[in-house]
Amino acid sequence: MRNSIFVLLFGLLAIVPASLFGQDRCGTTSLTADRAARFRGFENLQAASEARYIDYVNRGAQGGGSERVIPVVVHVIQQSNLPLISDARVQSQIDVLNEDFGKYNADTTLIPLEFQSVAANCNIRFCLATIDPNGCPTTGINRVVDPVLAIHNMNDEALLKGSVQWDPHRYLNIWVPVNIEDGILGYATFPDWLGFDPGSDGVVITGTSFGRGFGTPAGTYNLGRTGTHEVGHWLGLYHTFDGGCSGMSPQNCLSQGDRVCDTPPTNASNFGCPAVRNSCNESPVDLNDQTMNYMDYTDDLCMQMFSMGQLVRIDAYLASDRSMIWSDSNLTLTGCDGTVSPGCQPLAAFEQDTRVVCAGQSVQFTDRSTGPATAWTWTFQGGNPGTSTTQNPIVSWTQAGTYDVTLRVTNAIGGDSLVQSASVYVSSSTLAPFSENFEQPTGLPLGWYETSESSQWHWSGTGLASSLGSRSVVVHNFAQLAPKMKQDLISGPYDLTTAAAPMLTFDYAYKRRGGFNIDSLQLWVSPDCGLNWQKVWAKTSFGLATVGGFQSNAPFVPTATQWRTDTVDLAAFSTFNEVRFKFRSIGGNGQDIYLDNLNISMLVNANAPLQGQNSIRVIPNPSQLVPSIQIERAVGGKMEAILTNIQGAEFYRSELLPMVAGINLIEIPTSIWGEMPAGLYFLRLVDGSGATTVKLVKVN
């Protein structure tokens, strides 16, 4: 791997080439230590593998022979359904592998004269499988949509490979994420790992260096040679510079350095297109460095060959650890001998563009069955239509409720059915005013839902913190591996047509992780139950923070005093009866964001009724002096008063005030009122049953 990850460990320090300990981009030391820690006897297994290789050479192996065909599956890890890596690009990478391992790459003419006699035709052909592990037809290209795994980090090797892998004894698995972080172009496992760690077997190549003629600058790492290099590791080859100037004689060239005798020792990796150099003085013949070898780090444009000694080493592993993959029986199972899959019974699966709708809204269903299916029978409980035989139907519901969806798929071989319980929830609008404190013990409130670009991180309920009650909702930006991922929390629909000047208030809490970790929280409003959205509020990083300083060592959990309340005017939406709210978090590898105590309230003038039998008087209003605020209640209880300006800045928050059945007075401290500039203010009153907001106007 050009900046590749490979591992050799024969007594950690004795056999891991010293030159690699400075190659942090390669990740060799950490990956080697990981394997050594997790697999007992790893060093002995590696040493035994090398001993078998030396015995193979000493028995007179020459390399070559008849063509070996290796079935391949390419797992393209995408951020969305829009493929950045086309089928043609995948095929171009297979073409490069075949040219380079078959020695019919056009640039063999550039091989220096001193190495032309040892340039090898490895006689290996790579074939995109046409039959998958279930016996079904395939193109050998398996597309996986996972925005998190698409931006890959070496630390997440197990996550990437655990998400999808075909039988590594029968297929060469190549994973292609959109990008690999930290400048790494790819990495691969070795053949002798297959016996004790099959779940990691295969090759990973960054999408920016996958295939021929893609990426920039031209000729560096965009001609497909990263794939050639990584597959070389997968077949057992080390870097030509491994061990530096060791293995300098015929007596030790099989056991030191890159364990190949016709690749001259090289003291360090080469980059770019180097001039002729000779970094080690071996005997009996001192040769220049083989910088054009695929197992160095030079640019794609300056790589042209494998050596005959490397071919023998490859053959040793094809005859042992990798013997099953190119066997005649496996070529039949994978379709690489021309065998055509007779087909297979379909497996029912489907997607839908939303699970929560309002009455009358449509849901698009998309068939994702494998097999493939040739006939579809859908059943939509309570839907219009109630049944369908089209592959991708559109269905609506007229009555609020929760409904099941059933799909049966068939083909000439058989059929399969899938029943998705509670597949669709049809909401009915809730009249304002309304309060949501997220106190449900599990999940989200009925009618609320979340969508996320991440397969792992979502808005969820939590009992760790709250601004009112005992629970809130949180989005875990601290743990996200990929930045700029959007997570949306979407409310049920609300009817604002009976609300006079409706307002939305909500509490949130956030602390910054660092100066370069930029998280955002946005509020969007839809007047038509989610069909169209308008952004009405947004805060980012410093402006979003409700507490000062940074917290980088652990996820932020707010205390009761680390919350802020903001208010959003909903007057523009007061004529709509299916209004939804969407809180969007855009993570920047920063800190967790908490949300609580959402209230849809209406402004109440003097003498206007409150909820139930309550009423309120504000006298005078507008006022220069502190106004008298009188609340008449039918029952006693406790109430909290919060005074903010139209930007949501808080001027006053009372303690929990005891209320009696009858008339109660709320007093804003004179010292606070006197310091407030003239303008419009909101006094939010909150008790156990809900909240209401009073408009106050101060004049000079």
Side-chain angles (χ1 to χ4, degrees):
M1 36 189 187
R2 206 97 39 86
N3 309 332
S4 137
I5 300 165
F6 79 100
V7 177
L8 32 147
L9 178 66
F10 315 118
L12 266 184
L13 295 178
I15 302 211
V16 172
S19 66
L20 288 182
F21 281 93
Q23 293 286 346
D24 292 335
R25 283 168 38 180
C26 205
T28 301
T29 304
S30 61
L31 198 60
T32 300
D34 171 74
R35 294 302 193 270
R38 290 196 291 120
F39 298 103
R40 185 182 299 274
F42 179 69
E43 299 94 330
N44 294 333
L45 290 170
Q46 292 285 71
S49 175
E50 290 298 318
R52 289 193 298 272
Y53 159 63
I54 293 174
D55 179 66
Y56 181 84
V57 176
N58 289 337
R59 284 188 284 113
Q62 299 297 312
S66 60
E67 180 182 74
R68 281 73 56 87
V69 179
I70 295 179
V72 180
V73 56
V74 177
H75 306 291
V76 181
I77 314 300
Q78 305 177 176
Q79 290 178 298
S80 69
N81 286 320
L82 180 65
L84 295 177
I85 297 174
S86 66
D87 289 2
R89 185 167 172 181
V90 175
Q91 184 59 57
S92 77
Q93 181 63 73
I94 300 300
D95 292 343
V96 172
L97 291 176
N98 287 331
E99 292 166 10
D100 291 349
F101 281 88
K103 197 192 170 186
Y104 57 90
N105 49 303
D107 52 5
T108 55
T109 57
L110 301 178
I111 299 171
L113 180 62
E114 64 180 319
F115 297 125
Q116 287 182 7
S117 63
V118 298
N121 172 7
C122 298
N123 213 9
I124 296 173
R125 180 169 64 86
F126 298 87
C127 159
L128 284 172
T130 61
I131 303 176
D132 74 9
N134 297 314
C136 299
T138 180
T139 62
I141 304 171
N142 180 37
R143 299 187 180 276
V144 178
V145 177
D146 192 313
V148 171
L149 296 180
I151 307 300
H152 181 55
N153 185 289
M154 274 182 53
N155 295 327
D156 307 316
E157 178 197 10
L159 283 175
L160 176 69
K161 296 177 178 179
S163 67
V164 58
Q165 185 194 39
W166 292 7
D167 185 349
H169 298 88
R170 300 190 179 278
Y171 302 86
L172 163 54
N173 287 264
I174 300 178
W175 291 269
V176 187
V178 171
N179 192 26
I180 303 178
E181 297 177 327
D182 302 325
I184 291 171
L185 300 183
Y187 60 94
T189 58
F190 280 87
D192 48 346
W193 290 19
L194 186 60
F196 61 83
D197 190 18
S200 72
D201 189 77
V203 168
V204 180
I205 304 172
T206 180
T208 58
S209 293
F210 183 80
R212 174 162 44 205
F214 301 92
T216 55
T220 52
Y221 305 127
N222 73 331
L223 298 180
R225 261 63 190 266
T226 295
T228 301
H229 182 103
E230 299 306 334
V231 173
H233 285 312
W234 183 82
L235 288 167
L237 300 183
Y238 298 151
H239 293 132
T240 54
F241 52 83
D242 286 349
C245 293
S246 63
M248 303 269 284
S249 70
Q251 290 72 38
N252 58 20
C253 58
L254 289 178
S255 59
Q256 296 180 19
D258 69 347
R259 282 76 175 169
V260 174
C261 292
D262 60 3
T263 55
T266 303
N267 69 350
S269 55
N270 291 285
F271 293 90
C273 291
V276 175
R277 62 189 298 261
N278 187 353
S279 60
C280 301
N281 296 316
E282 66 273 15
S283 63
V285 179
D286 184 22
L287 297 173
N288 293 315
D289 295 352
Q290 207 172 89
T291 59
M292 72 297 307
N293 194 287
Y294 295 123
M295 302 312 294
D296 204 336
Y297 278 1
T298 48
D299 288 353
D300 283 13
L301 196 62
C302 299
M303 288 182 160
Q304 295 104 27
M305 64 171 287
F306 289 113
S307 75
M308 292 299 297
Q310 288 173 320
L311 168 58
V312 172
R313 185 172 175 87
I314 289 172
D315 283 357
Y317 286 106
L318 287 176
S320 55
D321 300 273
R322 300 265 185 235
S323 60
M324 178 184 289
I325 199 166
W326 60 281
S327 65
D328 290 344
S329 60
N330 191 55
L331 298 186
T332 299
L333 285 171
T334 58
C336 282
D337 66 350
T339 299
V340 177
S341 168
C344 57
Q345 180 174 310
L347 180 65
F350 65 86
E351 294 177 353
Q352 56 197 83
D353 61 352
T354 183
R355 292 187 176 277
V356 182
V357 294
C358 291
Q361 276 189 323
S362 297
V363 180
Q364 172 71 68
F365 291 87
T366 303
D367 170 53
R368 297 298 185 198
S369 303
T370 58
T374 57
W376 302 264
T377 302
W378 298 83
T379 303
F380 304 103
Q381 181 186 20
N384 180 26
T387 61
S388 176
T389 56
T390 62
Q391 184 176 5
N392 301 308
I394 298 175
V395 186
S396 62
W397 281 260
T398 58
Q399 299 295 322
T402 303
Y403 300 99
D404 301 342
V405 173
T406 301
L407 170 63
R408 177 163 180 79
V409 291
T410 58
N411 62 17
I413 297 176
D416 183 49
S417 296
L418 173 65
V419 179
Q420 184 68 57
S421 300
S423 184
V424 176
Y425 176 75
V426 182
S427 301
S428 58
S429 292
T430 302
L431 278 171
F434 185 79
S435 179
E436 178 55 66
N437 293 326
F438 306 105
E439 292 298 302
Q440 68 287 341
T442 59
L444 297 173
L446 187 63
W448 289 59
Y449 65 102
E450 58 83 25
T451 64
S452 177
E453 292 181 339
S454 166
S455 61
Q456 297 176 289
W457 313 116
H458 311 267
W459 284 96
S460 59
T462 179
L464 292 175
S466 66
S467 68
L468 185 67
S470 61
R471 296 182 63 82
S472 62
V473 288
V474 62
V475 61
H476 294 293
N477 290 327
F478 186 87
Q480 288 189 35
L481 304 175
K484 305 303 181 185
M485 305 295 291
K486 298 183 182 70
Q487 289 89 24
D488 293 340
L489 175 66
I490 302 172
S491 76
Y494 297 97
D495 186 344
L496 304 186
T497 57
T498 62
M503 308 292 296
L504 173 68
T505 61
F506 57 93
D507 298 341
Y508 60 96
Y510 171 76
K511 187 175 184 179
R512 300 169 73 196
R513 183 172 186 170
F516 297 99
N517 304 103
I518 309 300
D519 300 308
S520 300
L521 182 64
Q522 302 172 352
L523 173 62
W524 298 66
V525 180
S526 170
D528 48 15
C529 202
L531 295 179
N532 298 283
W533 292 95
Q534 302 175 36
K535 184 166 66 174
V536 299
W537 179 95
K539 289 191 176 180
T540 300
S541 192
F542 181 80
L544 180 64
T546 60
V547 58
F550 298 126
Q551 181 170 319
S552 60
N553 60 334
F556 167 63
V557 179
T559 66
T561 62
Q562 292 177 327
W563 294 78
R564 180 184 297 163
T565 301
D566 265 10
T567 302
V568 176
D569 188 349
L570 299 178
F573 305 95
S574 61
T575 60
F576 296 95
N577 62 1
E578 291 180 333
V579 177
R580 287 189 184 273
F581 304 98
K582 174 168 64 180
F583 289 91
R584 168 169 288 177
S585 166
I586 304 177
N589 297 123
Q591 268 294 358
D592 297 352
I593 302 175
Y594 290 78
L595 180 68
D596 198 9
N597 195 23
L598 181 145
N599 292 276
I600 302 173
S601 56
M602 53 187 107
L603 298 178
V604 181
N605 295 319
N607 302 317
L610 285 177
Q611 300 178 47
Q613 299 180 16
N614 296 339
S615 64
I616 184 170
R617 294 173 181 269
V618 181
I619 303 173
N621 192 20
S623 175
Q624 181 181 22
L625 302 176
V626 179
S628 173
I629 303 169
Q630 300 177 5
I631 298 177
E632 183 174 358
R633 293 176 58 93
V635 295
K638 292 187 176 182
M639 180 172 286
E640 184 181 36
I642 304 103
L643 181 66
T644 65
N645 63 12
I646 59 175
Q647 286 79 34
E650 186 175 304
F651 283 78
Y652 170 69
R653 182 186 289 262
S654 73
E655 299 177 351
L656 286 175
L657 304 172
M659 297 282 113
V660 299
I663 295 177
N664 301 265
L665 294 178
I666 291 181
E667 297 180 355
I668 299 172
T670 303
S671 60
I672 293 176
W673 184 266
E675 294 295 326
M676 293 163 48
L680 175 65
Y681 295 86
F682 302 119
L683 182 68
R684 185 161 64 100
L685 306 172
V686 183
D687 65 11
S689 65
T692 192
T693 302
V694 180
K695 178 170 64 176
L696 305 180
V697 179
K698 183 182 179 183
V699 295
N700 292 322

